[in-house]
Amino acid sequence: MKIILKKEITNLGEAGDVVEVKKGYALNYLVPQGFATVGTPSALKQHEETLRQRAHKEAKLVADAEALAAKISALAIRIAAKVGEEGKLYGAVTAAQVAEAVAAAGIEVDKKNVSVPEIKALGQFEGKVKCYKGVFADIKIEVVAEAE
């Protein structure tokens, strides 16, 4: 019997997969528990249409994210920080500071999507910004001494 999975089932498949299972397993367990729906011809046709639309939306989102990643990669962020002796910073440059600097350049990013190495000195560093699933932008960060 063909069924369409609503949730991931171990050793069977992931959500959205169409799988073949025994009739009793489907009707007595998977469907009543809400893990799957019966794969009638109309349900399968509707599922195919849903997958096609989802793929189209996903492609558009990935294209938008890649365009955003190109904009972010073109940026050179400059962060001024208080410096002690020998060029060491008081504290460290955080992802939140990088996110603010990117926002000041006109591109909104969430600080949770920014990953930077531990920056505790002056110089140039590389960070990453997650734009979408699997789409990352490299960002150049320059840390300079704050003018007093």
Side-chain angles (χ1 to χ4, degrees):
M1 172 176 221
K2 281 190 177 182
I3 59 167
I4 303 167
L5 295 177
K6 290 183 179 178
K7 297 181 182 175
E8 181 180 342
I9 306 289
T10 308
N11 298 329
L12 194 55
E14 295 187 13
D17 288 351
V18 177
V19 294
E20 188 80 28
V21 295
K22 293 191 176 187
K23 189 174 182 179
Y25 183 49
L27 296 178
N28 294 328
Y29 178 69
L30 293 174
V31 174
Q33 293 292 324
F35 296 142
T37 57
V38 177
T40 61
S42 64
L44 290 171
K45 189 174 180 180
Q46 184 178 6
H47 178 67
E48 289 296 321
E49 179 64 22
T50 303
L51 288 179
R52 191 181 66 73
Q53 288 176 356
R54 205 178 285 160
H56 180 69
K57 286 180 185 176
E58 184 76 15
K60 179 156 176 28
L61 288 172
V62 168
D64 291 346
E66 287 173 347
L68 180 66
K71 283 183 186 176
I72 292 173
S73 294
L75 291 177
I77 299 300
R78 218 171 177 180
I79 298 177
K82 290 186 179 182
V83 181
E85 298 167 12
E86 300 174 14
K88 291 190 176 185
L89 301 181
Y90 291 121
V93 174
T94 63
Q97 289 173 306
V98 174
E100 284 176 21
V102 172
I107 302 172
E108 286 294 322
V109 292
D110 191 358
K111 68 180 179 183
K112 292 180 227 159
N113 294 333
V114 176
S115 63
V116 293
E118 189 172 296
I119 302 174
K120 292 191 173 188
L122 297 177
Q124 298 207 358
F125 301 91
E126 289 271 328
K128 286 204 178 289
V129 177
K130 181 180 179 183
C131 299
Y132 191 65
K133 301 176 204 166
V135 180
F136 294 91
D138 292 325
I139 189 166
K140 295 169 199 73
I141 305 161
E142 182 181 2
V143 182
V144 296
E146 190 175 82
E148 294 184 23

